[in-house]
Amino acid sequence: MVGNKERQQASHAEKYAWTVPFVLFLGMISALILHESIDIGILLGYGGAVLYARSVGCSIHQVLRATWSGVVNMWRVSVVLLLIGVVIALWMAGGTIPTLTEFGAVFIHNSNVIWIAFLLASGLSMVIGSSLATWGILGPPILALTPPQLYPVVAGALVSGGMVGDRSSPMSTSVLVMSQAVGLSPTTTLTQLLRTVVVPIIFTFFALLILSKGVTLRGHVVVVHDVAFTPKSLLYVMPAILVIGLALWRVSLLYNLLVAVFIGGIFAHFATHESIDHLLHQIWNGYPLALNGKNFAIGGVRPMLQASLLIFTAGAFQGVTSLGGAMEAITERLFARITTRTGFVAVSYGLSIAYTTLLGSQSLSLLMSGNTLLPQFTQRKLRREVVLRIISDSAELVSAIVPWNLLGFQAAVILKVSTLHLIPYAWFIYSALTFSAISTWRYLAQQLKTPFLGDQQKFTELGSEDGKVQ
């Protein structure tokens, strides 16, 4: 009788597992349509996950414990997120970010605005770790220097550059979310992501450079900034150099950010003579920035509180979903039908992209992708770094070019260019995704010596477990 009951529960779990992502998808779409906080959509999904967990036999106590466990697992991500808000505000007040932006603007012409936009956005996003802040800071001034017919191309270059930092910056909150999703330390995650971002950046740069040769226009755009290369101005960029250097030396992200806060506070107080009260106000509310008649708040603790709430809500959803096993059931059914390595790669990347397309939230899609893919890889004794590579180059990046995804929607609003118009020019996203898929396929070919032969055939190891994704 017990065996029959367990089989019935397993059959029920497999049959109705689709309702959990479906309810979440409805919640996210409703929140976007009604212009409500995306947290509301996740809470609706959480409710659906709770009902599903109860239907497969989980007790209220188990649900509450799973909810608390998911929330607690996100505390480090939330703390670092708030520290990043402080750093960005201080670096704006201390002149680090404005100096980097103005240095780049000196060199912008009609003939090079495309690849310069990509390089500037890449550099700034690596410093501040936020694509949204990068687009908000660089978008208006660069597009003001851009001929109208090049708006979609330059917007695509800006989106590409912004996602470089979102994916690989020591200041990026996505790095923390990906670490949580695949069970790696932030330092290990950052090392992997920095190592694999170089080739896509180089490819994208030369592709945009070639494109620029074909759209060279007459004339010279008047530069709106006048920056003198003095020792003092160069000193302003030292905090950024220090943070990137510490990240390369594998200093813990938490300690790195504490150093960044300390150095940023010194620069803001002594270099620009900001008062302590004024700095504290900016640390809390964000640095006020007015561009083209619109006011922005860059960084700060208060704007990050909403993002922290989103992280905690996603953690609660993740905990209860793992308890009910809905996503695992769906994933098992998908991977059980794979017969080739190519199919394994296609399903892995396709599942991650599907989460981004359906859920409408970058952080949530990263968590769901990592949590559902990781068991399939560990079951086959494959390294979790491969899962990191997959979600970093699919769920993380593709979110910027999905019009109804929150990040893609914000990109279109900030840059004032339709997502559908800039999609063809977001080449960093496509190059990173392509190189990543090829690298993953090669890794599987090296690590797995037998082909798939159906449901009964499992992967077997070729040798050591220290194979690396190139």
Side-chain angles (χ1 to χ4, degrees):
M1 293 294 293
V2 175
N4 290 334
K5 183 178 180 180
E6 290 178 348
R7 283 194 294 270
Q8 289 176 357
Q9 288 181 343
S11 176
H12 176 87
E14 184 174 333
K15 184 176 181 180
Y16 296 103
W18 62 270
T19 59
V20 175
F22 181 72
V23 172
L24 177 63
F25 173 67
L26 289 181
M28 300 293 287
I29 292 297
S30 300
L32 292 174
I33 293 176
L34 299 175
H35 302 288
E36 295 291 338
S37 170
I38 203 168
D39 298 342
I40 303 300
I42 301 178
L43 285 175
L44 290 175
Y46 170 79
V50 169
L51 292 177
Y52 177 82
R54 292 286 292 143
S55 71
V56 296
C58 298
S59 66
I60 294 294
H61 177 70
Q62 288 176 313
V63 170
L64 293 177
R65 187 171 58 184
T67 300
W68 176 248
S69 176
V71 170
V72 169
N73 285 338
M74 297 299 169
W75 75 267
R76 183 178 293 272
V77 177
S78 181
V79 169
V80 174
L81 181 67
L82 297 177
L83 283 176
I84 287 174
V86 174
V87 171
I88 293 174
L90 288 175
W91 283 11
M92 287 296 298
T96 299
I97 295 174
T99 299
L100 289 171
T101 305
E102 293 181 358
F103 276 177
V106 170
F107 303 99
I108 294 180
H109 305 271
N110 282 331
S111 60
N112 63 19
V113 64
I114 299 174
W115 60 266
I116 283 286
F118 172 68
L119 289 184
L120 281 177
S122 299
L124 187 60
S125 66
M126 284 296 291
V127 171
I128 62 180
S130 169
S131 56
L132 292 178
T134 298
W135 300 330
I137 295 169
L138 287 180
I142 287 185
L143 289 174
L145 303 175
T146 301
Q149 61 268 41
L150 295 184
Y151 280 179
V153 186
V154 174
L158 288 169
V159 167
S160 292
M163 296 311 295
V164 170
D166 247 22
R167 177 197 183 278
S168 308
S169 170
M171 307 291 287
S172 173
T173 57
S174 292
V175 171
L176 301 173
V177 176
M178 286 186 277
S179 300
Q180 186 71 36
V182 299
L184 292 171
S185 70
T187 302
T188 301
T189 296
L190 185 59
T191 302
Q192 292 289 324
L193 295 178
L194 285 173
R195 186 168 60 86
T196 56
V197 78
V198 176
V199 173
I201 288 177
I202 294 175
F203 177 86
T204 303
F205 168 72
F206 280 105
L208 293 177
L209 184 63
I210 293 172
L211 179 63
S212 297
K213 298 296 182 182
V215 297
T216 300
L217 304 175
R218 294 183 178 180
H220 183 288
V221 175
V222 178
V223 175
V224 297
H225 301 283
D226 183 16
V227 179
F229 289 87
T230 64
K232 183 178 179 180
S233 62
L234 293 176
L235 184 65
Y236 287 149
V237 303
M238 292 305 298
I241 296 174
L242 177 63
V243 166
I244 294 175
L246 290 176
L248 293 176
W249 279 95
R250 301 188 180 183
V251 174
S252 168
L253 184 60
L254 183 61
Y255 292 124
N256 197 338
L257 288 173
L258 291 174
V259 171
V261 169
F262 178 73
I263 299 297
I266 291 177
F267 267 75
H269 180 61
F270 291 102
T272 60
H273 306 291
E274 291 278 7
S275 67
I276 299 297
D277 290 343
H278 193 204
L279 284 178
L280 290 176
H281 182 270
Q282 293 176 352
I283 287 173
W284 175 252
N285 293 301
Y287 183 84
L289 183 67
L291 288 172
N292 293 342
K294 290 191 174 182
N295 296 319
F296 297 87
I298 307 299
V301 172
R302 192 172 70 174
M304 292 295 186
L305 290 177
Q306 181 65 34
S308 295
L309 179 60
L310 172 64
I311 293 295
F312 283 126
T313 308
F317 173 79
Q318 172 195 351
V320 176
T321 303
S322 299
L323 175 66
M327 304 313 300
E328 288 79 359
I330 294 174
T331 307
E332 284 287 350
R333 293 179 62 181
L334 287 173
F335 279 94
R337 301 180 181 181
I338 298 175
T339 58
T340 65
R341 297 188 186 99
T342 301
F344 190 84
V345 173
V347 169
S348 298
Y349 283 88
L351 189 64
S352 185
I353 293 173
Y355 280 129
T356 300
T357 304
L358 295 176
L359 301 183
S361 167
Q362 185 186 48
S363 296
L364 187 58
S365 62
L366 286 172
L367 289 170
M368 295 301 296
S369 298
N371 288 326
T372 53
L373 290 178
L374 189 59
Q376 299 299 322
F377 278 72
T378 54
Q379 174 186 336
R380 295 164 172 86
K381 298 183 180 179
L382 298 170
R383 297 180 63 196
R384 60 185 65 219
E385 285 85 352
V386 187
V387 181
L388 172 66
R389 181 75 187 271
I390 291 173
I391 67 175
S392 68
D393 294 324
S394 53
E396 168 68 13
L397 297 180
V398 173
S399 58
I401 55 174
V402 175
W404 52 88
N405 188 286
L406 183 61
L407 186 65
F409 176 77
Q410 289 172 315
V413 171
I414 293 173
L415 299 176
K416 299 186 186 312
V417 176
S418 168
T419 307
L420 295 177
H421 289 161
L422 62 84
I423 280 177
Y425 307 105
W427 289 351
F428 173 76
I429 296 174
Y430 308 128
S431 61
L433 183 60
T434 301
F435 285 116
S436 180
I438 293 173
S439 178
T440 302
W441 190 93
R442 289 179 57 201
Y443 171 80
L444 294 179
Q446 293 170 1
Q447 291 295 104
L448 308 171
K449 67 181 180 182
T450 59
F452 290 86
L453 297 177
D455 293 351
Q456 288 76 33
Q457 181 66 46
K458 297 294 184 182
F459 280 113
T460 58
E461 290 182 273
L462 178 64
S464 65
E465 291 188 9
D466 61 348
K468 295 181 179 179
V469 180
Q470 301 296 322

